[in-house]
Amino acid sequence: MKTLNCRQKSNYWKQDCNSSHNKKERNEQMQTLTNGQKQALLEAQNGHNIFISGGGGVGKSYISQIIVDELQATGKTVLITASTGKAAMLINGVTCHRAFRIPIRMTWSATPKITLKDPIYESDVILIDEVSMLRIDAFDFICKSIQKVNKIRKSSIYLANPKNKHRDPIQLIVIGDFGQLPPVIVHTNDGRPDEGDLMSQHYGFPVKSGYAFLAPGWKECNFVKCELTEVMRQSNKDMIHALQGIRLGDRSFLPYFTENSRKKPFSDSDEAICLCGRNKTADQINAAKIAKLPGKARTYQAQIAGDVSAQDKPAPDQLHLKKNVRVIMLQNTDKYRNGSSAIVTSLGNDEITVKIDESDELVTVPYANWDVERYAVDPSTNKVTKEIIGTFRQLPVRPGYAITIHKSQGQSLDKVTLKLGNRWPEIFSCGQLYVALSRATSMDGLYIDGSLEKIKVLASEDFLNFQNNALDTCVNSTNSEEIPVSEEQPEDTTKEPSASDGRTISIKCPAHAAKAIFSFAQALTPDTKLVDSVLILPEEYKQAVKTFIEVIL
């Protein structure tokens, strides 16, 4: 299967889709979509609220980019947002907190205030990337904001004004994997109530990791869940299967990684990168490596103007660089991509020269400007635009000997050393190990420094309950006639079978047992289909199939 590299994916957002060349390229890209990606695109085009999920390397970001492009091509206004500043920059969007004016403190008790000047008031579709790192209270605030706008659109006063063109409810598209890193909740150790305690009191149940799916508004969104299952980052089927086991908290897959990862540590010449759970560890490794290099370090200071928060900064405030230091590139150009490794060959006043590992090419790297943006409404046209509220200027590199697991999310690494730590465990959060292991593209390129058996938690109990409960709602119950089939797609991969009452449900099956479950379901009713390990059948047979799955597993 043809896939896009990281540079192509990032640049997809900025393509001129009106040119004949790019139209041809887009058509070719459509042909490379997996069945799950095609289904997600179809659901989005039909106006449904959708939740696109799946493990690392299945193409969630790629299909979300195509969805945005296709919806915008129909004239719809799409607000592109993400839970973090880094994720927002990668998708050419803004943070959720800026888009919805989410308060930083006591978010759970805040009430959205929507005005005619708010971009959400003029939007058709809202996309949220990395929803897994968006806290319950922030997602709840977003849902309340959307509900307010939808209520306004139903009012007689709004409908009576011909200038109000938005008649349909806002469509919400969220992307993320709750099996990866959870949201950040600051816990105190001094006996006073912390954010988690206060949110638990507010919502009336323990929020624990504070996932967005725990918010009351999640169920009200009635998401169609599109689970992508075809992994493109790794090619080893055993590794893919073991990674999925770790994602679902199955400790029996830990020995696979211990036994099959490389036994010999990487040498300095191997150009491997260390993955660490803590910022402090990564900083120490980088500082020690740089200190060993001869010569005096040169410091490059970032220049900051306007409203720039800590999470908006893609590069360090201060860069201490020497000749021959290893760095990671932090932007996409014709010469390198975001995530490329390089060696610094010379240091100038306002630029450096690096040798890119992938091409062995010497490239001059000047200071880069990153604009921090927010959505706004042009009062003369009532159209949603972007305005720059801050700028961050720095060399687009960071030391390349070690990075945190958080900063590695979304990247593919050919050579990686996973630092597990001894005195201070590096893996301390649910989903952390899965993210770390799934960055490696092969077992030969993975060295594990420490014992996996010492890791106490693999997956969140809330996530596992959510995943299990979602087995029969991967595609919400819907009338099959409401989902038209595209003439360009094979009927057997998109069209749901019709039941006697027109109601069907979908059950996500474990890949290794999918055929057996399909055979059992077909014996119950011929109106059964299996699409990418998703069983689609009449709703009346739901319980019988679920009971069969419990028995065989």
Side-chain angles (χ1 to χ4, degrees):
M1 173 176 290
K2 177 184 176 183
T3 59
L4 298 185
N5 63 34
C6 297
R7 185 190 304 172
Q8 289 171 312
K9 290 182 181 180
S10 178
N11 288 342
Y12 189 95
W13 293 94
K14 303 174 183 177
Q15 289 178 359
D16 175 10
C17 295
N18 293 320
S19 72
S20 59
H21 170 75
N22 282 324
K23 284 183 178 179
K24 180 180 179 181
E25 186 174 314
R26 285 172 59 215
N27 289 334
E28 291 176 352
Q29 289 164 347
M30 292 293 183
Q31 299 302 316
T32 69
L33 297 181
T34 65
N35 288 333
Q37 289 172 328
K38 289 178 182 177
Q39 184 66 21
L41 177 59
L42 182 63
E43 299 290 355
Q45 290 172 326
N46 287 331
H48 297 138
N49 290 347
I50 60 174
F51 166 41
I52 301 174
S53 187
V58 295
K60 297 187 294 294
S61 296
Y62 181 42
I63 187 57
S64 67
Q65 293 164 4
I66 292 178
I67 286 172
V68 168
D69 185 62
E70 294 300 311
L71 294 180
Q72 287 178 336
T74 65
K76 290 188 176 182
T77 298
V78 183
L79 298 192
I80 306 169
T81 72
S83 58
T84 67
K86 177 187 174 183
M89 285 187 175
L90 287 175
I91 63 173
N92 198 27
V94 306
T95 63
C96 293
H97 281 75
R98 283 203 170 91
F100 297 94
R101 293 187 295 160
I102 302 173
I104 300 298
R105 299 183 181 278
M106 301 291 288
T107 308
W108 52 89
S109 60
T111 300
K113 297 179 181 179
I114 307 297
T115 70
L116 298 180
K117 296 181 180 179
D118 283 317
I120 184 178
Y121 192 82
E122 295 293 339
S123 67
D124 299 299
V125 185
I126 294 170
L127 180 140
I128 302 175
D129 195 18
E130 298 290 1
V131 70
S132 57
M133 298 184 73
L134 192 65
R135 252 173 32 177
I136 174 177
D137 53 337
F139 186 79
D140 204 28
F141 188 92
I142 292 171
C143 289
K144 290 175 181 177
S145 301
I146 294 174
Q147 289 167 0
K148 278 202 167 190
V149 174
N150 288 342
K151 186 176 181 181
I152 291 171
R153 292 181 180 180
K154 292 180 180 179
S155 68
S156 57
I157 296 176
Y158 180 91
L159 294 172
N161 188 343
K163 293 183 179 180
N164 294 328
K165 59 180 180 179
H166 300 286
R167 305 289 166 150
D168 296 326
I170 292 174
Q171 180 183 7
L172 182 60
I173 300 173
V174 299
I175 304 101
D177 177 17
F178 289 109
Q180 298 191 36
L181 298 170
V184 176
I185 296 180
V186 180
H187 295 286
T188 60
N189 296 315
D190 56 9
R192 294 180 299 173
D194 59 23
E195 289 181 325
D197 296 330
L198 294 172
M199 283 192 288
S200 296
Q201 292 175 14
H202 174 79
Y203 289 109
F205 58 84
V207 300
K208 298 179 183 176
S209 295
Y211 291 109
F213 60 74
L214 296 172
W218 183 275
K219 285 188 177 181
E220 296 171 11
C221 291
N222 195 31
F223 286 116
V224 173
K225 185 180 181 189
C226 300
E227 181 99 15
L228 307 183
T229 58
E230 187 170 341
V231 178
M232 290 170 276
R233 178 175 294 146
Q234 296 91 13
S235 58
N236 185 319
K237 291 184 178 180
D238 290 337
M239 183 181 182
I240 292 172
H241 183 60
L243 283 171
Q244 182 66 357
I246 298 297
R247 177 174 177 256
L248 298 177
D250 190 338
R251 300 186 68 86
S252 67
F253 286 98
L254 290 175
Y256 172 83
F257 291 96
T258 301
E259 295 166 6
N260 292 283
S261 58
R262 64 180 283 136
K263 302 298 183 289
K264 185 179 180 181
F266 289 106
S267 66
D268 289 342
S269 61
D270 285 325
E271 303 168 354
I273 189 166
C274 289
L275 276 187
C276 312
R278 301 177 184 275
N279 279 305
K280 184 177 180 180
T281 306
D283 291 343
Q284 288 174 342
I285 292 173
N286 284 320
K289 292 284 188 180
I290 295 173
K292 287 182 179 180
L293 294 174
K296 186 178 180 180
R298 187 163 191 168
T299 300
Y300 295 86
Q301 183 69 44
Q303 301 164 17
I304 304 170
D307 183 6
V308 180
S309 68
Q311 69 163 331
D312 292 322
K313 300 175 181 178
D317 284 345
Q318 282 190 336
L319 275 170
H320 305 290
L321 301 177
K322 288 182 179 180
K323 187 177 179 180
N324 294 323
V325 71
R326 175 161 294 284
V327 294
I328 296 174
M329 311 308 295
L330 299 177
Q331 66 174 182
N332 294 304
T333 72
D334 293 335
K335 302 294 185 181
Y336 53 82
R337 61 178 173 83
N338 184 14
S340 293
S341 296
I343 294 291
V344 174
T345 59
S346 67
L347 303 169
N349 292 328
D350 298 311
E351 62 186 24
I352 60 176
T353 301
V354 302
K355 184 177 181 182
I356 305 298
D357 289 347
E358 296 166 320
S359 62
D360 282 338
E361 186 175 358
L362 289 176
V363 180
T364 299
V365 181
Y367 269 79
N369 291 326
W370 287 275
D371 292 331
V372 179
E373 299 175 315
R374 69 182 176 193
Y375 284 111
V377 177
D378 185 336
S380 62
T381 61
N382 280 344
K383 290 187 177 180
V384 175
T385 61
K386 280 183 183 176
E387 60 182 18
I388 298 173
I389 60 174
T391 302
F392 183 83
R393 179 176 169 81
Q394 177 60 288
L395 291 174
V397 302
R398 69 167 59 250
Y401 300 103
I403 58 173
T404 64
I405 296 170
H406 274 75
K407 288 187 176 70
S408 75
Q409 196 161 8
Q411 294 188 10
S412 300
L413 303 173
D414 293 331
K415 296 178 182 179
V416 56
T417 293
L418 176 56
K419 303 286 287 188
L420 297 181
N422 295 312
R423 182 178 179 186
W424 303 108
E426 294 290 321
I427 305 293
F428 53 86
S429 176
C430 51
Q432 225 178 352
L433 179 63
Y434 170 69
V435 172
L437 293 174
S438 60
R439 298 312 94 194
T441 57
S442 69
M443 294 304 297
D444 292 338
L446 172 66
Y447 176 72
I448 300 173
D449 185 5
S451 173
L452 291 174
E453 294 297 336
K454 292 183 178 180
I455 297 174
K456 294 182 179 180
V457 59
L458 299 184
S460 162
E461 182 180 353
D462 282 338
F463 161 66
L464 295 177
N465 289 336
F466 172 72
Q467 191 78 356
N468 290 333
N469 291 337
L471 286 179
D472 59 344
T473 56
C474 284
V475 178
N476 288 344
S477 298
T478 181
N479 192 309
S480 59
E481 295 180 358
E482 295 176 358
I483 306 180
V485 178
S486 168
E487 294 180 359
E488 299 178 356
Q489 298 182 18
E491 182 177 350
D492 63 348
T493 63
T494 57
K495 187 175 180 181
E496 296 183 1
S498 56
S500 57
D501 60 354
R503 306 287 292 184
T504 63
I505 57 96
S506 297
I507 300 176
K508 182 69 169 64
C509 306
H512 67 281
K515 290 185 178 179
I517 297 169
F518 176 58
S519 298
F520 173 80
Q522 269 203 322
L524 296 174
T525 171
D527 293 331
T528 302
K529 286 196 174 183
L530 184 67
V531 180
D532 282 351
S533 297
V534 175
L535 191 71
I536 305 171
L537 75 167
E539 188 174 23
E540 60 189 287
Y541 300 101
K542 165 185 168 182
Q543 191 55 52
V545 173
K546 288 187 68 176
T547 301
F548 176 75
I549 292 175
E550 291 174 0
V551 170
I552 66 171
L553 297 182

